[in-house]
Amino acid sequence: MECIQLVQAHEYYVEHSWQIIPLLTEAIGHFQKLGGIRMAKYLKMLVGVEHYFNGEYDKALALLQDVAMTYQVERWPKILSEILIRVLRCSCVLGRIDVYLTTILELIGSNR
Protein backbone atom coordinates (compact mmCIF):
# COMPACT_ATOMS: atom_id res chain seq x y z
CA MET A 1 0.00 0.00 0.00
CA GLU A 2 2.83 2.38 0.80
CA CYS A 3 4.37 1.79 -2.61
CA ILE A 4 1.14 2.73 -4.38
CA GLN A 5 0.90 5.95 -2.37
CA LEU A 6 4.48 6.85 -3.34
CA VAL A 7 3.72 6.31 -7.02
CA GLN A 8 0.52 8.37 -6.73
CA ALA A 9 2.42 11.17 -5.01
CA HIS A 10 5.00 11.17 -7.80
CA GLU A 11 2.34 11.14 -10.54
CA TYR A 12 0.72 14.22 -9.03
CA TYR A 13 3.72 16.34 -10.06
CA VAL A 14 4.17 14.88 -13.56
CA GLU A 15 3.01 17.16 -16.38
CA HIS A 16 1.33 14.59 -18.61
CA SER A 17 0.42 17.10 -21.31
CA TRP A 18 4.08 17.65 -22.14
CA GLN A 19 4.33 13.93 -22.85
CA ILE A 20 1.00 13.68 -24.68
CA ILE A 21 1.50 16.59 -27.10
CA PRO A 22 4.70 15.25 -28.76
CA LEU A 23 3.13 11.79 -29.12
CA LEU A 24 -0.01 13.21 -30.70
CA THR A 25 2.09 15.41 -33.00
CA GLU A 26 4.08 12.37 -34.12
CA ALA A 27 0.84 10.47 -34.76
CA ILE A 28 -0.45 13.40 -36.82
CA GLY A 29 2.63 13.15 -39.03
CA HIS A 30 2.11 9.43 -39.54
CA PHE A 31 -1.55 9.82 -40.48
CA GLN A 32 -0.73 12.63 -42.88
CA LYS A 33 1.86 10.42 -44.60
CA LEU A 34 -0.70 7.63 -44.92
CA GLY A 35 -3.42 9.96 -46.21
CA GLY A 36 -5.61 9.77 -43.11
CA ILE A 37 -6.56 13.42 -43.19
CA ARG A 38 -9.65 13.10 -40.96
CA MET A 39 -7.73 11.22 -38.28
CA ALA A 40 -4.92 13.78 -38.45
CA LYS A 41 -7.45 16.59 -37.97
CA TYR A 42 -9.01 14.77 -35.03
CA LEU A 43 -5.59 14.41 -33.41
CA LYS A 44 -4.94 18.11 -34.08
CA MET A 45 -8.10 18.83 -32.15
CA LEU A 46 -6.79 16.76 -29.24
CA VAL A 47 -3.49 18.68 -29.30
CA GLY A 48 -5.47 21.92 -29.25
CA VAL A 49 -7.44 20.72 -26.25
CA GLU A 50 -4.20 19.82 -24.43
CA HIS A 51 -2.84 23.30 -25.12
CA TYR A 52 -6.14 24.73 -23.87
CA PHE A 53 -5.86 22.84 -20.58
CA ASN A 54 -2.24 24.03 -20.23
CA GLY A 55 -3.33 27.63 -20.57
CA GLU A 56 -1.64 28.08 -23.96
CA TYR A 57 -4.71 29.66 -25.48
CA ASP A 58 -2.94 31.13 -28.50
CA LYS A 59 -1.69 27.72 -29.65
CA ALA A 60 -5.04 26.13 -28.86
CA LEU A 61 -6.89 28.83 -30.80
CA ALA A 62 -4.76 28.37 -33.92
CA LEU A 63 -5.15 24.58 -33.93
CA LEU A 64 -8.84 24.57 -33.11
CA GLN A 65 -9.71 27.19 -35.73
CA ASP A 66 -7.96 25.10 -38.39
CA VAL A 67 -9.83 21.97 -37.35
CA ALA A 68 -13.14 23.85 -37.07
CA MET A 69 -12.92 24.91 -40.72
CA THR A 70 -12.58 21.29 -41.77
CA TYR A 71 -15.52 20.09 -39.70
CA GLN A 72 -17.61 22.99 -40.95
CA VAL A 73 -16.95 22.14 -44.61
CA GLU A 74 -17.59 18.43 -44.00
CA ARG A 75 -20.75 19.19 -41.99
CA TRP A 76 -20.02 17.53 -38.65
CA PRO A 77 -22.22 19.76 -36.44
CA LYS A 78 -21.78 17.99 -33.09
CA ILE A 79 -17.99 17.99 -33.21
CA LEU A 80 -17.95 21.48 -34.70
CA SER A 81 -20.03 22.96 -31.89
CA GLU A 82 -17.73 21.44 -29.25
CA ILE A 83 -14.69 22.89 -31.02
CA LEU A 84 -16.34 26.29 -31.44
CA ILE A 85 -17.10 26.46 -27.72
CA ARG A 86 -13.38 26.01 -26.98
CA VAL A 87 -12.51 28.57 -29.67
CA LEU A 88 -14.96 30.93 -27.99
CA ARG A 89 -13.30 30.47 -24.59
CA CYS A 90 -9.79 30.91 -26.03
CA SER A 91 -10.75 34.07 -27.90
CA CYS A 92 -12.36 35.49 -24.77
CA VAL A 93 -9.24 34.88 -22.66
CA LEU A 94 -6.97 36.29 -25.38
CA GLY A 95 -9.22 39.31 -25.94
CA ARG A 96 -9.72 38.51 -29.61
CA ILE A 97 -13.07 40.25 -30.08
CA ASP A 98 -13.16 39.59 -33.83
CA VAL A 99 -12.77 35.84 -33.35
CA TYR A 100 -15.21 35.90 -30.43
CA LEU A 101 -17.97 37.59 -32.42
CA THR A 102 -17.44 35.39 -35.48
CA THR A 103 -17.55 32.27 -33.32
CA ILE A 104 -20.70 33.39 -31.52
CA LEU A 105 -22.42 33.92 -34.86
CA GLU A 106 -21.27 30.51 -36.09
CA LEU A 107 -22.61 28.85 -32.95
CA ILE A 108 -25.94 30.62 -33.25
CA GLY A 109 -26.18 29.70 -36.93
CA SER A 110 -25.26 26.06 -36.37
CA ASN A 111 -27.95 25.58 -33.70
CA ARG A 112 -30.81 26.30 -36.09
Side-chain angles (χ1 to χ4, degrees), residues 39-110:
M39 191 64 191
K41 289 289 184 176
Y42 176 74
L43 293 175
K44 257 188 179 178
M45 181 190 69
L46 294 179
V47 172
V49 170
E50 286 296 323
H51 283 300
Y52 173 82
F53 285 128
N54 283 332
E56 298 176 317
Y57 300 110
D58 52 341
K59 291 180 182 179
L61 183 63
L63 288 168
L64 293 174
Q65 280 183 309
D66 176 50
V67 174
M69 287 175 32
T70 301
Y71 286 123
Q72 187 177 35
V73 169
E74 294 186 2
R75 298 180 188 255
W76 291 74
K78 178 72 173 151
I79 299 172
L80 177 62
S81 63
E82 291 178 22
I83 293 170
L84 289 177
I85 289 170
R86 290 210 195 274
V87 169
L88 190 68
R89 291 177 183 160
C90 289
S91 62
C92 182
V93 170
L94 294 172
R96 298 279 312 272
I97 303 298
D98 57 332
V99 176
Y100 186 84
L101 292 175
T102 305
T103 306
I104 284 276
L105 292 174
E106 277 187 64
L107 278 169
I108 291 171
S110 67

Side-chain angles (χ1 to χ4, degrees), residues 7-20 54:
V7 170
Q8 287 176 337
H10 175 72
E11 282 293 308
Y12 180 76
Y13 296 103
V14 174
E15 293 286 338
H16 291 100
S17 289
W18 302 120
Q19 296 171 352
I20 292 171
N54 283 332

